[in-house]
Amino acid sequence: MSHTGRFAPSPTGLLHFGSLLAATASYLEARSQQGRWLLRLEDLDKPRESKGASASIIQTLKAYGFEWDGDILFQSQRLTAYQDALHQLKTHTYRCTCSRKQLQEDAQANNTNLIYTGRCLTQAIPEHQPAAIRLKVPSQKLKFHDAILGDYEQDLQQAVGDFVLRRADGIFAYQLAVVVDDAWQGITHIVRGADLLNNTPRQLYLQQLLGFNHPHYAHIPMATNANGQKLSKQSYAPAITPDDSIRQLVHALQFLGQNPPPPEYFSHLNTLWDWAIQHWQLNRVPKLISRPSP
Ligand code: GLU
Ligand code: ZN
């Protein structure tokens, strides 16, 4: 199977330095192997979407010189596929009407970190009542080898509990959509931020149930701001701007352990990308977070 990678941002905010790292690393990993690189907008959670974010993400990626293969896939166009997958998983799922408050109380009572206790597993919930759909998970260690972070294992029952595949408001969960689309798009290599590392076992389990191949995974360390906080849309990481692309990309390459020459060395984005594709080595990406210089 030929190498296919992807970048899959959620349009909940503008592109920031953390997402630039994921885009850059996944792009270089694919291009340095003569692989394909696809762009997918994970735009399922319309209520959390920020207006114009999809267009702005696409525009910024273009301005930075990223070139994706084929058309952009929008998850909002793929609802039938998620519904089909949910149908296939039917014997492994059940409906759940727990309120957020109830879940929090259960978690507190059990001194756990929002691990679902299976409260609705044996409840008969009328079809007309809005309900989330949860997947029953096994008590069994799921293991995989991460190309950057090494071996990782997780017991789904202990770490997350039966997790949601479709919310009560009808929105399909990230876990289901990402697995269906990675398989459908033939993704063989996933490179993304380490904030998603502990989601991977859920995705491996779904792939197993749906009869999909497991992709290879590489999780890149999270960028931090000057206070040591992870850069995310939640912590209001500043958006990256198109006018500063060479400097930002050199900065990203530095962070990714690639020892790039200084920004002045590159007169054009093209020469920067040529250099980066030629010199890219995934095994140089550091395991530990080191703060890039501002
Ligand atoms: N859409 C997810 C995010 O922006 C990333 C999905 C993935 O790479 O698996 O956090
Ligand atoms: Zn419930």
PDB file of all heavy atoms in Angstrom, residues 3 6-7 18-32 37 66 148 189-193 218-221 249 252-253 256 258 273 280 282 285:
ATOM      1  N   HIS A   3       2.094   5.108   0.648  1.00  0.00           N
ATOM      2  CA  HIS A   3       2.035   5.954   1.838  1.00  0.00           C
ATOM      3  C   HIS A   3       0.997   7.081   1.652  1.00  0.00           C
ATOM      4  O   HIS A   3       1.083   7.853   0.708  1.00  0.00           O
ATOM      5  CB  HIS A   3       3.439   6.534   2.041  1.00  0.00           C
ATOM      6  CG  HIS A   3       3.615   7.285   3.307  1.00  0.00           C
ATOM      7  ND1 HIS A   3       4.503   6.907   4.285  1.00  0.00           N
ATOM      8  CD2 HIS A   3       3.014   8.407   3.757  1.00  0.00           C
ATOM      9  CE1 HIS A   3       4.450   7.768   5.280  1.00  0.00           C
ATOM     10  NE2 HIS A   3       3.556   8.694   4.986  1.00  0.00           N
ATOM     11  N   ARG A   6      -2.297  12.607   6.165  1.00  0.00           N
ATOM     12  CA  ARG A   6      -3.383  13.597   6.130  1.00  0.00           C
ATOM     13  C   ARG A   6      -3.200  14.616   7.238  1.00  0.00           C
ATOM     14  O   ARG A   6      -2.482  14.414   8.215  1.00  0.00           O
ATOM     15  CB  ARG A   6      -4.746  12.909   6.241  1.00  0.00           C
ATOM     16  CG  ARG A   6      -4.951  11.847   7.340  1.00  0.00           C
ATOM     17  CD  ARG A   6      -4.937  12.395   8.693  1.00  0.00           C
ATOM     18  NE  ARG A   6      -5.619  11.600   9.687  1.00  0.00           N
ATOM     19  CZ  ARG A   6      -5.727  11.989  10.965  1.00  0.00           C
ATOM     20  NH1 ARG A   6      -5.170  13.100  11.378  1.00  0.00           N
ATOM     21  NH2 ARG A   6      -6.349  11.246  11.841  1.00  0.00           N
ATOM     22  N   PHE A   7      -3.882  15.749   7.054  1.00  0.00           N
ATOM     23  CA  PHE A   7      -4.008  16.751   8.107  1.00  0.00           C
ATOM     24  C   PHE A   7      -5.501  16.972   8.275  1.00  0.00           C
ATOM     25  O   PHE A   7      -6.221  17.117   7.286  1.00  0.00           O
ATOM     26  CB  PHE A   7      -3.287  18.037   7.695  1.00  0.00           C
ATOM     27  CG  PHE A   7      -3.407  19.160   8.698  1.00  0.00           C
ATOM     28  CD1 PHE A   7      -3.096  18.956  10.036  1.00  0.00           C
ATOM     29  CD2 PHE A   7      -3.813  20.426   8.295  1.00  0.00           C
ATOM     30  CE1 PHE A   7      -3.195  19.989  10.967  1.00  0.00           C
ATOM     31  CE2 PHE A   7      -3.915  21.474   9.219  1.00  0.00           C
ATOM     32  CZ  PHE A   7      -3.607  21.249  10.545  1.00  0.00           C
ATOM     33  N   GLY A  18       0.575  25.245  17.089  1.00  0.00           N
ATOM     34  CA  GLY A  18       0.418  23.809  17.352  1.00  0.00           C
ATOM     35  C   GLY A  18      -0.125  23.070  16.134  1.00  0.00           C
ATOM     36  O   GLY A  18       0.350  21.984  15.784  1.00  0.00           O
ATOM     37  N   SER A  19      -1.129  23.665  15.468  1.00  0.00           N
ATOM     38  CA  SER A  19      -1.665  22.986  14.280  1.00  0.00           C
ATOM     39  C   SER A  19      -0.671  23.060  13.116  1.00  0.00           C
ATOM     40  O   SER A  19      -0.599  22.138  12.307  1.00  0.00           O
ATOM     41  CB  SER A  19      -3.049  23.502  13.883  1.00  0.00           C
ATOM     42  OG  SER A  19      -3.291  24.818  14.252  1.00  0.00           O
ATOM     43  N   LEU A  20       0.115  24.134  13.062  1.00  0.00           N
ATOM     44  CA  LEU A  20       1.145  24.217  12.021  1.00  0.00           C
ATOM     45  C   LEU A  20       2.161  23.069  12.173  1.00  0.00           C
ATOM     46  O   LEU A  20       2.617  22.492  11.186  1.00  0.00           O
ATOM     47  CB  LEU A  20       1.869  25.570  12.086  1.00  0.00           C
ATOM     48  CG  LEU A  20       2.959  25.760  11.018  1.00  0.00           C
ATOM     49  CD1 LEU A  20       2.363  25.805   9.615  1.00  0.00           C
ATOM     50  CD2 LEU A  20       3.773  27.026  11.285  1.00  0.00           C
ATOM     51  N   LEU A  21       2.484  22.722  13.415  1.00  0.00           N
ATOM     52  CA  LEU A  21       3.412  21.606  13.649  1.00  0.00           C
ATOM     53  C   LEU A  21       2.842  20.301  13.105  1.00  0.00           C
ATOM     54  O   LEU A  21       3.537  19.535  12.445  1.00  0.00           O
ATOM     55  CB  LEU A  21       3.687  21.445  15.147  1.00  0.00           C
ATOM     56  CG  LEU A  21       4.545  22.499  15.812  1.00  0.00           C
ATOM     57  CD1 LEU A  21       4.668  22.196  17.301  1.00  0.00           C
ATOM     58  CD2 LEU A  21       5.921  22.557  15.176  1.00  0.00           C
ATOM     59  N   ALA A  22       1.569  20.051  13.390  1.00  0.00           N
ATOM     60  CA  ALA A  22       0.940  18.808  12.919  1.00  0.00           C
ATOM     61  C   ALA A  22       0.869  18.798  11.394  1.00  0.00           C
ATOM     62  O   ALA A  22       1.146  17.775  10.753  1.00  0.00           O
ATOM     63  CB  ALA A  22      -0.453  18.653  13.530  1.00  0.00           C
ATOM     64  N   ALA A  23       0.510  19.939  10.811  1.00  0.00           N
ATOM     65  CA  ALA A  23       0.424  20.022   9.355  1.00  0.00           C
ATOM     66  C   ALA A  23       1.805  19.785   8.737  1.00  0.00           C
ATOM     67  O   ALA A  23       1.958  18.979   7.814  1.00  0.00           O
ATOM     68  CB  ALA A  23      -0.114  21.394   8.938  1.00  0.00           C
ATOM     69  N   THR A  24       2.822  20.468   9.277  1.00  0.00           N
ATOM     70  CA  THR A  24       4.172  20.376   8.718  1.00  0.00           C
ATOM     71  C   THR A  24       4.729  18.953   8.837  1.00  0.00           C
ATOM     72  O   THR A  24       5.243  18.389   7.870  1.00  0.00           O
ATOM     73  CB  THR A  24       5.114  21.356   9.452  1.00  0.00           C
ATOM     74  OG1 THR A  24       4.541  22.666   9.373  1.00  0.00           O
ATOM     75  CG2 THR A  24       6.496  21.393   8.832  1.00  0.00           C
ATOM     76  N   ALA A  25       4.608  18.369  10.024  1.00  0.00           N
ATOM     77  CA  ALA A  25       5.172  17.031  10.232  1.00  0.00           C
ATOM     78  C   ALA A  25       4.462  15.996   9.363  1.00  0.00           C
ATOM     79  O   ALA A  25       5.101  15.144   8.749  1.00  0.00           O
ATOM     80  CB  ALA A  25       5.080  16.649  11.709  1.00  0.00           C
ATOM     81  N   SER A  26       3.144  16.068   9.277  1.00  0.00           N
ATOM     82  CA  SER A  26       2.426  15.062   8.479  1.00  0.00           C
ATOM     83  C   SER A  26       2.738  15.255   6.993  1.00  0.00           C
ATOM     84  O   SER A  26       2.908  14.285   6.249  1.00  0.00           O
ATOM     85  CB  SER A  26       0.916  15.123   8.730  1.00  0.00           C
ATOM     86  OG  SER A  26       0.390  16.383   8.369  1.00  0.00           O
ATOM     87  N   TYR A  27       2.851  16.502   6.580  1.00  0.00           N
ATOM     88  CA  TYR A  27       3.165  16.812   5.176  1.00  0.00           C
ATOM     89  C   TYR A  27       4.548  16.292   4.793  1.00  0.00           C
ATOM     90  O   TYR A  27       4.725  15.611   3.774  1.00  0.00           O
ATOM     91  CB  TYR A  27       3.112  18.331   5.000  1.00  0.00           C
ATOM     92  CG  TYR A  27       3.225  18.820   3.577  1.00  0.00           C
ATOM     93  CD1 TYR A  27       2.252  18.496   2.633  1.00  0.00           C
ATOM     94  CD2 TYR A  27       4.294  19.618   3.179  1.00  0.00           C
ATOM     95  CE1 TYR A  27       2.350  18.970   1.323  1.00  0.00           C
ATOM     96  CE2 TYR A  27       4.389  20.097   1.876  1.00  0.00           C
ATOM     97  CZ  TYR A  27       3.414  19.761   0.957  1.00  0.00           C
ATOM     98  OH  TYR A  27       3.508  20.227  -0.327  1.00  0.00           O
ATOM     99  N   LEU A  28       5.535  16.590   5.640  1.00  0.00           N
ATOM    100  CA  LEU A  28       6.912  16.193   5.319  1.00  0.00           C
ATOM    101  C   LEU A  28       7.080  14.683   5.384  1.00  0.00           C
ATOM    102  O   LEU A  28       7.800  14.092   4.577  1.00  0.00           O
ATOM    103  CB  LEU A  28       7.880  16.900   6.264  1.00  0.00           C
ATOM    104  CG  LEU A  28       7.980  18.406   6.013  1.00  0.00           C
ATOM    105  CD1 LEU A  28       8.832  19.080   7.080  1.00  0.00           C
ATOM    106  CD2 LEU A  28       8.545  18.688   4.611  1.00  0.00           C
ATOM    107  N   GLU A  29       6.406  14.046   6.326  1.00  0.00           N
ATOM    108  CA  GLU A  29       6.491  12.592   6.426  1.00  0.00           C
ATOM    109  C   GLU A  29       5.946  11.948   5.140  1.00  0.00           C
ATOM    110  O   GLU A  29       6.532  11.016   4.606  1.00  0.00           O
ATOM    111  CB  GLU A  29       5.727  12.115   7.669  1.00  0.00           C
ATOM    112  CG  GLU A  29       5.785  10.638   7.967  1.00  0.00           C
ATOM    113  CD  GLU A  29       7.204  10.077   8.197  1.00  0.00           C
ATOM    114  OE1 GLU A  29       8.171  10.856   8.249  1.00  0.00           O
ATOM    115  OE2 GLU A  29       7.322   8.847   8.272  1.00  0.00           O
ATOM    116  N   ALA A  30       4.844  12.494   4.629  1.00  0.00           N
ATOM    117  CA  ALA A  30       4.268  11.944   3.392  1.00  0.00           C
ATOM    118  C   ALA A  30       5.141  12.278   2.182  1.00  0.00           C
ATOM    119  O   ALA A  30       5.520  11.389   1.406  1.00  0.00           O
ATOM    120  CB  ALA A  30       2.854  12.478   3.190  1.00  0.00           C
ATOM    121  N   ARG A  31       5.501  13.542   2.028  1.00  0.00           N
ATOM    122  CA  ARG A  31       6.232  13.962   0.827  1.00  0.00           C
ATOM    123  C   ARG A  31       7.638  13.370   0.759  1.00  0.00           C
ATOM    124  O   ARG A  31       8.147  13.091  -0.324  1.00  0.00           O
ATOM    125  CB  ARG A  31       6.321  15.488   0.767  1.00  0.00           C
ATOM    126  CG  ARG A  31       4.978  16.159   0.510  1.00  0.00           C
ATOM    127  CD  ARG A  31       4.411  15.780  -0.860  1.00  0.00           C
ATOM    128  NE  ARG A  31       3.204  16.552  -1.161  1.00  0.00           N
ATOM    129  CZ  ARG A  31       2.049  16.037  -1.541  1.00  0.00           C
ATOM    130  NH1 ARG A  31       1.918  14.714  -1.673  1.00  0.00           N
ATOM    131  NH2 ARG A  31       1.008  16.808  -1.796  1.00  0.00           N
ATOM    132  N   SER A  32       8.258  13.166   1.903  1.00  0.00           N
ATOM    133  CA  SER A  32       9.612  12.598   1.881  1.00  0.00           C
ATOM    134  C   SER A  32       9.581  11.114   1.506  1.00  0.00           C
ATOM    135  O   SER A  32      10.609  10.536   1.183  1.00  0.00           O
ATOM    136  CB  SER A  32      10.307  12.801   3.232  1.00  0.00           C
ATOM    137  OG  SER A  32       9.625  12.083   4.223  1.00  0.00           O
ATOM    138  N   TRP A  37      -0.790  13.247   0.400  1.00  0.00           N
ATOM    139  CA  TRP A  37      -1.151  13.988   1.621  1.00  0.00           C
ATOM    140  C   TRP A  37      -2.520  14.627   1.399  1.00  0.00           C
ATOM    141  O   TRP A  37      -2.711  15.365   0.427  1.00  0.00           O
ATOM    142  CB  TRP A  37      -0.094  15.042   1.922  1.00  0.00           C
ATOM    143  CG  TRP A  37      -0.265  15.763   3.228  1.00  0.00           C
ATOM    144  CD1 TRP A  37      -0.011  15.287   4.479  1.00  0.00           C
ATOM    145  CD2 TRP A  37      -0.703  17.125   3.420  1.00  0.00           C
ATOM    146  NE1 TRP A  37      -0.248  16.238   5.435  1.00  0.00           N
ATOM    147  CE2 TRP A  37      -0.678  17.377   4.807  1.00  0.00           C
ATOM    148  CE3 TRP A  37      -1.115  18.151   2.556  1.00  0.00           C
ATOM    149  CZ2 TRP A  37      -1.046  18.602   5.354  1.00  0.00           C
ATOM    150  CZ3 TRP A  37      -1.477  19.379   3.108  1.00  0.00           C
ATOM    151  CH2 TRP A  37      -1.439  19.605   4.491  1.00  0.00           C
ATOM    152  N   PHE A  66       1.451  24.634   1.432  1.00  0.00           N
ATOM    153  CA  PHE A  66       1.035  23.226   1.517  1.00  0.00           C
ATOM    154  C   PHE A  66       0.235  22.877   0.261  1.00  0.00           C
ATOM    155  O   PHE A  66      -0.635  23.647  -0.150  1.00  0.00           O
ATOM    156  CB  PHE A  66       0.143  22.993   2.744  1.00  0.00           C
ATOM    157  CG  PHE A  66       0.884  23.065   4.049  1.00  0.00           C
ATOM    158  CD1 PHE A  66       0.922  24.240   4.780  1.00  0.00           C
ATOM    159  CD2 PHE A  66       1.531  21.944   4.554  1.00  0.00           C
ATOM    160  CE1 PHE A  66       1.604  24.312   5.996  1.00  0.00           C
ATOM    161  CE2 PHE A  66       2.206  21.999   5.767  1.00  0.00           C
ATOM    162  CZ  PHE A  66       2.243  23.187   6.484  1.00  0.00           C
ATOM    163  N   ILE A 148       7.159   8.002  17.327  1.00  0.00           N
ATOM    164  CA  ILE A 148       7.952   8.986  18.070  1.00  0.00           C
ATOM    165  C   ILE A 148       8.009   8.631  19.553  1.00  0.00           C
ATOM    166  O   ILE A 148       9.062   8.613  20.163  1.00  0.00           O
ATOM    167  CB  ILE A 148       7.384  10.413  17.900  1.00  0.00           C
ATOM    168  CG1 ILE A 148       7.473  10.842  16.435  1.00  0.00           C
ATOM    169  CG2 ILE A 148       8.137  11.407  18.786  1.00  0.00           C
ATOM    170  CD1 ILE A 148       6.708  12.102  16.100  1.00  0.00           C
ATOM    171  N   HIS A 189      -0.602   6.484   7.278  1.00  0.00           N
ATOM    172  CA  HIS A 189       0.279   7.075   8.283  1.00  0.00           C
ATOM    173  C   HIS A 189      -0.357   8.318   8.889  1.00  0.00           C
ATOM    174  O   HIS A 189      -0.607   9.295   8.177  1.00  0.00           O
ATOM    175  CB  HIS A 189       1.640   7.434   7.679  1.00  0.00           C
ATOM    176  CG  HIS A 189       2.447   6.213   7.338  1.00  0.00           C
ATOM    177  ND1 HIS A 189       2.157   5.414   6.262  1.00  0.00           N
ATOM    178  CD2 HIS A 189       3.517   5.657   7.971  1.00  0.00           C
ATOM    179  CE1 HIS A 189       3.023   4.403   6.228  1.00  0.00           C
ATOM    180  NE2 HIS A 189       3.854   4.529   7.248  1.00  0.00           N
ATOM    181  N   ILE A 190      -0.592   8.256  10.185  1.00  0.00           N
ATOM    182  CA  ILE A 190      -1.196   9.395  10.878  1.00  0.00           C
ATOM    183  C   ILE A 190      -0.123  10.082  11.718  1.00  0.00           C
ATOM    184  O   ILE A 190       0.518   9.448  12.552  1.00  0.00           O
ATOM    185  CB  ILE A 190      -2.368   8.930  11.757  1.00  0.00           C
ATOM    186  CG1 ILE A 190      -3.498   8.411  10.855  1.00  0.00           C
ATOM    187  CG2 ILE A 190      -2.844  10.050  12.675  1.00  0.00           C
ATOM    188  CD1 ILE A 190      -4.695   7.864  11.577  1.00  0.00           C
ATOM    189  N   VAL A 191       0.081  11.361  11.437  1.00  0.00           N
ATOM    190  CA  VAL A 191       1.009  12.175  12.236  1.00  0.00           C
ATOM    191  C   VAL A 191       0.167  13.311  12.799  1.00  0.00           C
ATOM    192  O   VAL A 191      -0.463  14.055  12.042  1.00  0.00           O
ATOM    193  CB  VAL A 191       2.153  12.736  11.368  1.00  0.00           C
ATOM    194  CG1 VAL A 191       3.118  13.557  12.208  1.00  0.00           C
ATOM    195  CG2 VAL A 191       2.903  11.614  10.652  1.00  0.00           C
ATOM    196  N   ARG A 192       0.134  13.438  14.117  1.00  0.00           N
ATOM    197  CA  ARG A 192      -0.719  14.466  14.729  1.00  0.00           C
ATOM    198  C   ARG A 192      -0.183  14.782  16.117  1.00  0.00           C
ATOM    199  O   ARG A 192       0.772  14.181  16.575  1.00  0.00           O
ATOM    200  CB  ARG A 192      -2.167  13.963  14.796  1.00  0.00           C
ATOM    201  CG  ARG A 192      -2.325  12.704  15.626  1.00  0.00           C
ATOM    202  CD  ARG A 192      -3.759  12.170  15.570  1.00  0.00           C
ATOM    203  NE  ARG A 192      -3.876  10.936  16.333  1.00  0.00           N
ATOM    204  CZ  ARG A 192      -4.938  10.139  16.295  1.00  0.00           C
ATOM    205  NH1 ARG A 192      -5.977  10.432  15.526  1.00  0.00           N
ATOM    206  NH2 ARG A 192      -4.971   9.044  17.029  1.00  0.00           N
ATOM    207  N   GLY A 193      -0.827  15.713  16.791  1.00  0.00           N
ATOM    208  CA  GLY A 193      -0.349  16.176  18.093  1.00  0.00           C
ATOM    209  C   GLY A 193      -0.532  15.135  19.188  1.00  0.00           C
ATOM    210  O   GLY A 193      -1.465  14.337  19.169  1.00  0.00           O
ATOM    211  N   ALA A 218       2.206   8.420  14.589  1.00  0.00           N
ATOM    212  CA  ALA A 218       3.321   9.189  15.158  1.00  0.00           C
ATOM    213  C   ALA A 218       2.708  10.434  15.802  1.00  0.00           C
ATOM    214  O   ALA A 218       2.024  11.207  15.133  1.00  0.00           O
ATOM    215  CB  ALA A 218       4.307   9.579  14.070  1.00  0.00           C
ATOM    216  N   HIS A 219       2.920  10.587  17.087  1.00  0.00           N
ATOM    217  CA  HIS A 219       2.367  11.750  17.800  1.00  0.00           C
ATOM    218  C   HIS A 219       3.495  12.720  18.145  1.00  0.00           C
ATOM    219  O   HIS A 219       4.460  12.347  18.818  1.00  0.00           O
ATOM    220  CB  HIS A 219       1.629  11.291  19.057  1.00  0.00           C
ATOM    221  CG  HIS A 219       0.323  10.609  18.759  1.00  0.00           C
ATOM    222  ND1 HIS A 219       0.241   9.264  18.479  1.00  0.00           N
ATOM    223  CD2 HIS A 219      -0.944  11.092  18.650  1.00  0.00           C
ATOM    224  CE1 HIS A 219      -1.024   8.944  18.224  1.00  0.00           C
ATOM    225  NE2 HIS A 219      -1.774  10.035  18.321  1.00  0.00           N
ATOM    226  N   ILE A 220       3.328  13.950  17.672  1.00  0.00           N
ATOM    227  CA  ILE A 220       4.394  14.922  17.906  1.00  0.00           C
ATOM    228  C   ILE A 220       4.133  15.702  19.198  1.00  0.00           C
ATOM    229  O   ILE A 220       2.984  15.959  19.546  1.00  0.00           O
ATOM    230  CB  ILE A 220       4.554  15.906  16.722  1.00  0.00           C
ATOM    231  CG1 ILE A 220       3.224  16.576  16.408  1.00  0.00           C
ATOM    232  CG2 ILE A 220       5.075  15.201  15.489  1.00  0.00           C
ATOM    233  CD1 ILE A 220       3.379  17.733  15.483  1.00  0.00           C
ATOM    234  N   PRO A 221       5.223  16.025  19.909  1.00  0.00           N
ATOM    235  CA  PRO A 221       5.057  16.702  21.194  1.00  0.00           C
ATOM    236  C   PRO A 221       4.305  18.012  21.029  1.00  0.00           C
ATOM    237  O   PRO A 221       4.348  18.638  19.974  1.00  0.00           O
ATOM    238  CB  PRO A 221       6.487  16.939  21.678  1.00  0.00           C
ATOM    239  CG  PRO A 221       7.345  16.773  20.476  1.00  0.00           C
ATOM    240  CD  PRO A 221       6.626  15.869  19.534  1.00  0.00           C
ATOM    241  N   LEU A 249       7.625  28.703   9.544  1.00  0.00           N
ATOM    242  CA  LEU A 249       7.948  27.333   9.137  1.00  0.00           C
ATOM    243  C   LEU A 249       9.338  26.917   9.627  1.00  0.00           C
ATOM    244  O   LEU A 249       9.536  25.785  10.065  1.00  0.00           O
ATOM    245  CB  LEU A 249       7.832  27.173   7.616  1.00  0.00           C
ATOM    246  CG  LEU A 249       6.387  27.074   7.095  1.00  0.00           C
ATOM    247  CD1 LEU A 249       6.341  27.248   5.582  1.00  0.00           C
ATOM    248  CD2 LEU A 249       5.738  25.748   7.502  1.00  0.00           C
ATOM    249  N   ALA A 252       8.936  26.097  13.101  1.00  0.00           N
ATOM    250  CA  ALA A 252       8.301  24.775  13.240  1.00  0.00           C
ATOM    251  C   ALA A 252       9.332  23.665  13.014  1.00  0.00           C
ATOM    252  O   ALA A 252       9.384  22.685  13.771  1.00  0.00           O
ATOM    253  CB  ALA A 252       7.141  24.632  12.260  1.00  0.00           C
ATOM    254  N   LEU A 253      10.186  23.836  12.004  1.00  0.00           N
ATOM    255  CA  LEU A 253      11.209  22.813  11.713  1.00  0.00           C
ATOM    256  C   LEU A 253      12.198  22.685  12.873  1.00  0.00           C
ATOM    257  O   LEU A 253      12.634  21.597  13.226  1.00  0.00           O
ATOM    258  CB  LEU A 253      11.956  23.160  10.423  1.00  0.00           C
ATOM    259  CG  LEU A 253      11.144  23.008   9.136  1.00  0.00           C
ATOM    260  CD1 LEU A 253      11.902  23.581   7.948  1.00  0.00           C
ATOM    261  CD2 LEU A 253      10.786  21.538   8.886  1.00  0.00           C
ATOM    262  N   LEU A 256      10.656  20.794  15.542  1.00  0.00           N
ATOM    263  CA  LEU A 256      10.550  19.383  15.160  1.00  0.00           C
ATOM    264  C   LEU A 256      11.927  18.710  15.055  1.00  0.00           C
ATOM    265  O   LEU A 256      12.040  17.593  14.540  1.00  0.00           O
ATOM    266  CB  LEU A 256       9.784  19.245  13.841  1.00  0.00           C
ATOM    267  CG  LEU A 256       8.291  19.641  13.901  1.00  0.00           C
ATOM    268  CD1 LEU A 256       7.708  19.798  12.501  1.00  0.00           C
ATOM    269  CD2 LEU A 256       7.495  18.625  14.708  1.00  0.00           C
ATOM    270  N   GLN A 258      14.673  19.433  13.270  1.00  0.00           N
ATOM    271  CA  GLN A 258      15.256  19.223  11.942  1.00  0.00           C
ATOM    272  C   GLN A 258      16.466  20.110  11.638  1.00  0.00           C
ATOM    273  O   GLN A 258      17.004  20.040  10.536  1.00  0.00           O
ATOM    274  CB  GLN A 258      14.183  19.435  10.854  1.00  0.00           C
ATOM    275  CG  GLN A 258      12.918  18.597  11.055  1.00  0.00           C
ATOM    276  CD  GLN A 258      13.189  17.096  11.007  1.00  0.00           C
ATOM    277  OE1 GLN A 258      13.781  16.611  10.061  1.00  0.00           O
ATOM    278  NE2 GLN A 258      12.748  16.361  12.026  1.00  0.00           N
ATOM    279  N   TRP A 273      10.599  24.523   1.281  1.00  0.00           N
ATOM    280  CA  TRP A 273       9.951  23.199   1.222  1.00  0.00           C
ATOM    281  C   TRP A 273      10.876  22.160   0.605  1.00  0.00           C
ATOM    282  O   TRP A 273      10.932  21.016   1.051  1.00  0.00           O
ATOM    283  CB  TRP A 273       8.617  23.268   0.472  1.00  0.00           C
ATOM    284  CG  TRP A 273       7.491  23.812   1.318  1.00  0.00           C
ATOM    285  CD1 TRP A 273       6.738  24.918   1.071  1.00  0.00           C
ATOM    286  CD2 TRP A 273       6.988  23.266   2.556  1.00  0.00           C
ATOM    287  NE1 TRP A 273       5.804  25.114   2.076  1.00  0.00           N
ATOM    288  CE2 TRP A 273       5.941  24.107   2.998  1.00  0.00           C
ATOM    289  CE3 TRP A 273       7.340  22.174   3.337  1.00  0.00           C
ATOM    290  CZ2 TRP A 273       5.232  23.869   4.177  1.00  0.00           C
ATOM    291  CZ3 TRP A 273       6.624  21.927   4.523  1.00  0.00           C
ATOM    292  CH2 TRP A 273       5.595  22.770   4.926  1.00  0.00           C
ATOM    293  N   TRP A 280      14.017  15.914   5.839  1.00  0.00           N
ATOM    294  CA  TRP A 280      13.094  15.458   6.892  1.00  0.00           C
ATOM    295  C   TRP A 280      13.470  14.098   7.454  1.00  0.00           C
ATOM    296  O   TRP A 280      13.703  13.142   6.726  1.00  0.00           O
ATOM    297  CB  TRP A 280      11.665  15.391   6.341  1.00  0.00           C
ATOM    298  CG  TRP A 280      10.694  14.783   7.307  1.00  0.00           C
ATOM    299  CD1 TRP A 280      10.111  13.550   7.233  1.00  0.00           C
ATOM    300  CD2 TRP A 280      10.183  15.388   8.503  1.00  0.00           C
ATOM    301  NE1 TRP A 280       9.276  13.348   8.301  1.00  0.00           N
ATOM    302  CE2 TRP A 280       9.299  14.461   9.097  1.00  0.00           C
ATOM    303  CE3 TRP A 280      10.396  16.620   9.144  1.00  0.00           C
ATOM    304  CZ2 TRP A 280       8.613  14.716  10.297  1.00  0.00           C
ATOM    305  CZ3 TRP A 280       9.711  16.882  10.340  1.00  0.00           C
ATOM    306  CH2 TRP A 280       8.834  15.942  10.884  1.00  0.00           C
ATOM    307  N   LEU A 282      11.873  11.801  10.605  1.00  0.00           N
ATOM    308  CA  LEU A 282      10.914  11.682  11.714  1.00  0.00           C
ATOM    309  C   LEU A 282      11.630  11.345  13.019  1.00  0.00           C
ATOM    310  O   LEU A 282      11.229  11.814  14.081  1.00  0.00           O
ATOM    311  CB  LEU A 282       9.869  10.608  11.377  1.00  0.00           C
ATOM    312  CG  LEU A 282       8.712  10.488  12.366  1.00  0.00           C
ATOM    313  CD1 LEU A 282       7.806  11.710  12.302  1.00  0.00           C
ATOM    314  CD2 LEU A 282       7.896   9.226  12.129  1.00  0.00           C
ATOM    315  N   VAL A 285      12.496  14.065  15.581  1.00  0.00           N
ATOM    316  CA  VAL A 285      11.487  14.810  16.346  1.00  0.00           C
ATOM    317  C   VAL A 285      11.643  14.445  17.819  1.00  0.00           C
ATOM    318  O   VAL A 285      11.679  13.263  18.157  1.00  0.00           O
ATOM    319  CB  VAL A 285      10.059  14.464  15.866  1.00  0.00           C
ATOM    320  CG1 VAL A 285       9.009  15.190  16.694  1.00  0.00           C
ATOM    321  CG2 VAL A 285       9.900  14.805  14.384  1.00  0.00           C
TER     322      VAL A 285
END
